[in-house]
Amino acid sequence: MTYSRFQDEDGLLKALLQSKGTYNVFPKVTIIAGERIRPDIDLLEIYKERENQYWTIGYECKLMKFNQLAKALSWEAFYKGIGQALCYLRNGIQRAVLILGFYENVPDDQLIDDFKTRLYEKKEFLQQIFGPYLSIGLLLYERGNPLFILESK
């Protein structure tokens, strides 16, 4: 099976919505409690933990693109996504998730496999930095669930 590629971040968001369902999820949130927020939240999930106790999870979607000059994936979207996802916390979101997909210009699956390997190698370091607040997941297959490389608890 080959990995999914996406034309734009809206395509990735649509695939994420298909994996999450539509109950208690809200795409493209720009206002919380009457206040405009920046950056907007690509997908907001309200999760009921127990009676009268809810968690808010914000999902930031980014596409990894192939850099023709470097002949490798550009990490620019990864770092921008981390910054935006961390900004969610300032808006009252309790957990932020960076979901990475792959742009349609990624020429072969080996680049994606290499990227996954590099993330796994950095897993402990990233967990120290992000603590329990930020998870990083890869959406590898259309209609599939994200594969979490780093999951906050």
Side-chain angles (χ1 to χ4, degrees):
M1 178 183 289
T2 59
Y3 296 116
S4 289
R5 310 295 201 283
F6 299 94
Q7 185 175 3
D8 54 30
E9 288 180 6
D10 285 342
L12 176 59
L13 178 58
K14 182 178 177 184
L16 180 60
L17 273 166
Q18 288 175 345
S19 76
K20 300 295 295 172
T22 57
Y23 183 72
N24 284 342
V25 294
F26 308 91
K28 299 193 178 196
V29 175
T30 58
I31 297 173
I32 293 180
E35 296 287 323
R36 174 109 172 98
I37 59 168
R38 286 199 137 328
D40 64 327
I41 299 171
D42 291 337
L43 185 68
L44 177 65
E45 179 178 18
I46 300 173
Y47 171 77
K48 184 175 182 176
E49 189 166 304
R50 24 185 124 83
E51 191 64 35
N52 296 325
Q53 186 173 7
Y54 295 87
W55 278 87
T56 53
I57 304 168
Y59 294 85
E60 174 64 27
C61 297
K62 288 293 180 199
L63 290 179
M64 301 296 293
K65 295 181 180 179
F66 181 71
N67 181 318
Q68 294 289 347
L69 292 175
K71 302 289 185 219
L73 289 178
S74 168
W75 284 71
E76 181 180 355
F78 177 77
Y79 294 115
K80 280 184 178 178
I82 287 171
Q84 288 180 329
L86 289 173
C87 284
Y88 290 0
L89 302 175
R90 135 184 108 196
N91 293 312
I93 303 304
Q94 293 154 316
R95 181 171 168 223
V97 179
L98 173 58
I99 297 292
L100 298 168
F102 298 91
Y103 190 66
E104 62 188 4
N105 79 337
V106 176
D108 64 66
D109 287 349
Q110 186 60 48
L111 289 165
I112 297 171
D113 285 332
D114 292 345
F115 177 77
K116 280 181 10 187
T117 299
R118 290 194 62 201
L119 276 183
Y120 274 117
E121 290 169 354
K122 297 175 189 295
K123 182 177 180 175
E124 287 182 28
F125 174 69
L126 292 171
Q127 281 177 322
Q128 287 177 333
I129 293 170
F130 302 137
Y133 305 108
L134 179 67
S135 297
I136 298 173
L138 300 175
L139 195 60
L140 299 173
Y141 307 106
E142 222 170 306
R143 292 188 222 27
N145 291 315
L147 165 69
F148 282 92
I149 301 292
L150 176 70
E151 185 138 28
S152 62
K153 302 293 179 207

